[in-house]
């Protein structure tokens, strides 16, 4: 991890690590946070609410509810001593593959509810997932009049964007548009900002 990365990304237990329940997202998070996890006993939580919105075959969960998918390939390429799957991954939030009656908005609402009300470890949540999911999240939770590139362009692979998710007294949830910060990579088809 880069010494220039924000504390909530690099320091153990400074944030709650979560990822989609799809193997490709779990593998990316495992690679990105392998040094951090090796220094601590923190877990990465698998959340079905972050599962990709597409009906394509690569958007289907391979592990059943409460289980961890086969991670043999990624574990062979990182310091696997620090990555005993049973100790590193918390699969209690993995409900298996998304049901046919589900949709992306339902899962985004579940993620917001979990982030704001149910997770107690940290105020900061670092969520690994899918660019289409995040583009739709920006569309759903940024104020309608907010002109933001993330509503129309997808985050690049391994891109990092931070923001504050807030809830008002009436229970309305939104992204504070003034909190948006491209930390790494930027968006597809757009030149990354210097320093990002």
């Amino acid at each position: 991890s880069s010494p220039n990365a924000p504390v909530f990304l690099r320091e153990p237990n400074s944030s709650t690590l979560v990822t989609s329940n799809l193997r490709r997202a779990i593998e990316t998070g495992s690679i990105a946070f392998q040094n951090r996890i090796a220094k601590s006993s923190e877990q990465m939580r698998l959340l079905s609410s972050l599962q990709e919105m597409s009906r394509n075959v690569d958007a289907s969960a391979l592990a059943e509810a409460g289980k961890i998918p086969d991670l043999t390939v990624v574990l062979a390429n990182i310091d696997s001593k620090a990555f005993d799957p049973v100790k590193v991954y918390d699969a209690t939030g993995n409900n298996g593959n998304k049901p046919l009656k589900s949709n992306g908005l339902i899962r985004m609402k579940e993620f917001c509810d979990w982030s704001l009300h149910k997770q107690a470890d940290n105020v900061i949540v670092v969520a690994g997932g899918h660019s289409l999911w995040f583009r739709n999240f920006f569309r759903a939770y940024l104020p309608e009049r907010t002109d933001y590139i993330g509503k129309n362009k997808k985050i690049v692979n391994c891109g990092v964007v931070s923001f504050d998710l807030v809830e008002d007294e009436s229970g309305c949830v939104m992204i504070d548009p003034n909190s948006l910060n491209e930390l790494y990579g930027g968006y597809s088809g757009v030149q990354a900002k210097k320093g990002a």
Side-chain angles (χ1 to χ4, degrees):
S1 69
S2 168
N4 297 328
V7 169
F8 67 84
L9 289 176
R10 62 184 156 80
E11 291 299 320
N13 302 304
S14 61
S15 55
T16 299
L17 301 176
V18 300
T19 185
S20 159
N21 61 339
L22 297 187
R23 181 169 58 191
R24 57 192 160 104
I26 299 167
E27 289 175 337
T28 301
S30 298
I31 292 167
F33 292 106
Q34 64 181 307
N35 293 335
R36 174 177 158 169
I37 290 172
K39 290 192 263 182
S40 70
S41 60
E42 67 186 311
Q43 290 186 302
M44 184 178 298
R45 296 178 181 167
L46 313 184
L47 299 180
S48 291
S49 58
L50 290 169
Q51 188 174 347
E52 182 67 276
M53 294 178 179
S54 169
R55 289 284 173 203
N56 293 340
V57 69
D58 69 339
S60 295
L62 298 175
E64 58 190 57
K67 303 287 184 189
I68 302 162
D70 177 35
L71 299 170
T72 305
V73 173
V74 75
L75 293 177
N77 291 290
I78 61 176
D79 179 10
S80 59
K81 285 180 249 147
F83 269 82
D84 174 358
V86 175
K87 292 179 182 172
V88 172
Y89 305 105
D90 175 356
T92 57
N94 176 14
N95 301 323
N97 201 29
K98 56 191 172 227
L100 289 176
K101 64 182 177 182
S102 179
N103 64 50
L105 186 58
I106 291 170
R107 289 192 305 281
M108 288 188 292
K109 286 179 180 179
E110 289 171 356
F111 175 73
C112 289
D113 183 55
W114 180 86
S115 296
L116 294 167
H117 303 288
K118 297 194 173 133
Q119 71 92 15
D121 293 351
N122 290 292
V123 175
I124 298 173
V125 174
V126 176
H130 311 282
S131 57
L132 178 63
W133 190 98
F134 283 104
R135 184 178 70 188
N136 284 310
F137 193 79
F138 290 137
R139 287 177 178 174
Y141 289 97
L142 276 168
E144 187 176 349
R145 295 181 193 264
T146 300
D147 183 30
Y148 181 62
I149 193 163
K151 287 182 171 182
N152 300 306
K153 299 283 185 180
K154 295 197 282 185
I155 299 171
V156 299
N157 287 344
C158 299
V160 180
V161 176
S162 69
F163 56 85
D164 292 338
L165 188 64
V166 296
E167 182 176 31
D168 67 18
E169 310 80 42
S170 68
C172 180
V173 176
M174 67 175 261
I175 296 169
D176 175 356
N178 296 317
S179 69
L180 287 159
N181 189 6
E182 294 172 39
L183 299 174
Y184 180 80
Y187 292 88
S188 269
V190 179
Q191 189 170 3
K193 292 179 181 177
K194 287 191 175 193

